[in-house]
Structure formats: structure tokens, C-alpha cells
Amino acid sequence: MSRADDDLDGDEPDETGRLIRPYAITGGRTGAESDISLETLIQATPRADELAGGYRWEAVDLIELVRSPMALIEVAARLGVPIGVAKVLVTDLVADGAVRLQVRQEKNYASLLERVLDGVRNL
Amino acid sequence: MSATSNPLSVAKVPVKIVVAGGFGAGKSTFVNTISEIEPLRSEATMTSASTGVDDLSHTTGKTTTTVAMDFGRIKITDQLVLYLFGTPGQERFWFLWNGLFEGALGAVVLVDTRRLEVSFDVMGRLEERGVPFVVAVNSFPDAPRYPLEDLRTALTDACVQAMAESGEPFTPADLTGDLNYFGSGDIGL
């Protein structure tokens, strides 16, 4: 998470110069450049615990949430931060190797739809 | 960025379905009824050029707006977890939100037969974006009941008209193929 800390402590203005408080966490980065989708599942790696000692509260809380996989949008809601802020936090943690992402591998739409329908019918 | 090569301890596939429809059509109730967790709300701050967005266009340059999103989830198999997205309003901003419809399995358009026309815009835009959708007729107690075939005709005509106005190519056959109905009045309203 050194990037966020550096940005926050540094004198360089961020891109937008906006003064929206939640984005203080991210040094003003909005997450708009990130391609993590709302439903991407995030999960802590085995390395998360050793890394967590050097993190600030928001990253520590995030790691606690994703002990088992949780979608980005749910992480944002449970942390109480805007989705863009959650994206930035996750991106930093992925770079550190503290969490990993699971995007949907299924490329066959019809097959996925069938599996969903079967699953719903069996509920 | 790249995830590490270790497999997830529990391999899961997230599936997204967006619940759309006009104000008061029952989107939040729909999500709340199906979700197995207490529904949550997330907010996204969107920055966009102000072109074509009503009153915000009076401000200069970039505009930002905060959009709230209610969502719930339900595990449907050990591998599949379904995320349901609905918003309490602000429909006109949805389509500025990149990533809301991308990758969605599809959308559910909730319609209220007393105000069918408020669904036309959202259906037209889903068609434009190629998002498959089903239409769910929410039967409010004091709403008139129509044969589904009549509703199908009315909505299909509306979609064709919306598409024509947008200048996008369409075929009526595609539209009728995409418009499916499932049971009405069973979402707990």
C-alpha cells in the first residue's frame, strides 16, 4: 500500500484536484482506470496476514472481509466507501499480492445461462 | 494487474443480473425479496461529460454525480453466486455508468401496467447495448390486468419505436425473441 501512502503524504496534487473526502484514502485516485468489474470476486491470499501488519485500517478491514471470496461491490458497501475507492484499494492489494481476483472464466453465454437456470430451478 | 496463479480455495463464478424499470416499479423490493443477505447499498461517483444530461449541463466541463446502487446476492449452486443490482432511481444515469451492464448475464425489466411508458426508455437502451432482458409484469393490487399477449405487443412496439428514434438498426424478430415474460405478481408486493 505504499503507493497510497506516498500519494497521500506527498505534495503532488492528484489528477482531479477534487476534495471529496473518501478519496483521501486513495490519494485522489478514483479507480476509473481500473478494469475490476463490480461483480469480480476478491479473496485474500495466504500472504495477506504477513502483509497486513504494514497496512492502514481500510486495507486491513478489506482483507478481513475477503477471507472468503466477496464481490467488489459488496466489499465497497461493507467498508462504507464508494466503489471507486474500493477499486483503488483492491488494485494496490493485488499489486502487493495480498489479495487476488477471480473474474468470470465462463465465456460460453448459453452454457452459463443454462447452469444459472438449472440452479434457480433447484433452489 | 494479474492475480496470482494459486487457485481460489472455493472456485466460484459471479453472475450479474441488473433489475431495471421505471421509478416505483418495485426494483428494490424485487432485489430484497430474492437476496439471501440483507441488501446492501453502494455508491459510485461518476464523472462524465455533461452532454445530454439535463440540468447538470448548466455546469461547465466535467460533472460528477453520485449514484446509489442496491444489491443483493444469492448462492444458487456451490459454484454460482448471483448478484442482483437495482437502483432506487436515477435511471437516466445508469447508462453513463460503464460496467453496470457490461458482463451482465441479463436484465430484468419490471413494468407497472399503470405506467407502462416509463419502461420504454430503459428497454430501448438495453436493446441498443445488446443486453438480453426479460420483462416481469409486477401486478400491483389496483393495477389493471391485461393479457400478456397484449402487453407483449405494446412493449415490442415501444421498443421498435425507441430503436428507430435512436437510429440503431434492429429487426422486429430480434425484439420479440428477447421479450419473454415470467409469472406476474409473485414478488411479494
Side-chain angles (χ1 to χ4, degrees):
Chain A
M1 289 298 283
S2 57
R3 253 179 92 196
D5 290 343
D6 289 349
D7 284 357
L8 202 58
D9 297 335
D11 294 329
E12 292 179 19
D14 68 49
E15 251 177 59
T16 62
R18 282 200 306 259
L19 296 171
I20 300 169
R21 204 173 303 157
Y23 291 92
I25 295 172
T26 67
R29 289 173 296 153
T30 62
E33 71 285 354
S34 163
D35 61 356
I36 305 175
S37 67
L38 299 173
E39 68 276 19
T40 295
L41 295 177
I42 298 148
Q43 187 180 25
T45 67
R47 289 191 59 211
D49 281 328
E50 65 182 90
L51 291 165
Y55 290 155
R56 300 188 325 189
W57 66 269
E58 60 272 8
V60 174
D61 287 358
L62 195 156
I63 286 168
E64 282 306 314
L65 283 174
V66 298
R67 295 287 178 193
S68 53
M70 182 180 284
L72 175 73
I73 188 169
E74 187 169 344
V75 168
R78 294 194 185 278
L79 283 179
V81 298
I83 290 160
V85 171
K87 271 189 193 179
V88 171
L89 290 171
V90 168
T91 302
D92 286 345
L93 291 173
V94 168
D96 283 0
V99 304
R100 58 192 169 220
L101 308 177
Q102 183 180 338
V103 292
R104 198 171 77 203
Q105 301 295 321
E106 185 77 60
K107 295 298 179 197
N108 185 331
Y109 179 83
S111 150
L112 181 63
L113 193 59
E114 262 172 39
R115 287 168 62 202
V116 170
L117 281 173
D118 287 346
V120 168
R121 289 191 179 116
N122 290 330
L123 281 177
Chain B
M1 89 206 66
S2 65
T4 61
S5 57
N6 298 339
L8 287 168
S9 56
V10 184
K12 286 201 175 130
V13 179
V15 178
K16 176 169 65 178
I17 290 181
V18 182
V19 181
F23 179 78
K27 298 184 292 291
S28 294
T29 306
F30 186 99
V31 171
N32 297 359
T33 305
I34 294 172
S35 179
E36 64 185 5
I37 60 166
E38 191 171 329
L40 294 163
R41 175 168 292 191
S42 267
E43 290 189 340
T45 306
M46 296 187 305
T47 305
S48 64
S50 56
T51 50
V53 184
D54 55 31
D55 49 323
L56 292 177
S57 62
H58 296 299
T59 58
T60 55
K62 284 181 173 181
T63 60
T64 61
T65 185
T66 300
V67 173
M69 166 65 63
D70 288 332
F71 67 96
R73 77 169 139 82
I74 181 169
K75 192 177 86 169
I76 49 179
T77 70
D78 285 342
Q79 284 80 42
L80 291 170
V81 55
L82 196 63
Y83 281 87
L84 290 156
F85 292 59
T87 86
Q90 302 158 305
E91 287 84 1
R92 67 189 184 283
F93 294 127
W94 291 9
F95 294 90
L96 297 174
W97 189 349
N98 293 323
L100 178 55
F101 289 99
E102 282 76 6
L105 187 70
V108 176
V109 178
L110 276 176
V111 300
D112 175 349
T113 53
R114 294 166 299 184
R115 290 177 298 160
L116 217 49
E117 69 283 357
V118 300
S119 314
F120 293 171
D121 183 52
V122 73
M123 286 193 287
R125 295 204 200 192
L126 289 170
E127 288 283 353
E128 278 172 36
R129 292 210 160 194
V131 179
F133 63 94
V134 295
V135 174
V137 180
N138 195 0
S139 298
F140 290 89
D142 53 343
R145 306 295 170 101
Y146 300 104
L148 285 184
E149 200 47 49
D150 291 357
L151 287 170
R152 182 191 297 266
T153 302
L155 293 171
T156 305
D157 288 349
C159 258
V160 169
Q161 192 180 349
M163 294 289 285
E165 285 168 1
S166 76
E168 296 291 320
F170 66 89
T171 66
D174 290 342
L175 296 172
T176 50
D178 282 343
L179 284 171
N180 297 298
Y181 297 90
F182 63 87
S184 58
D186 55 356
I187 67 165
L189 284 174

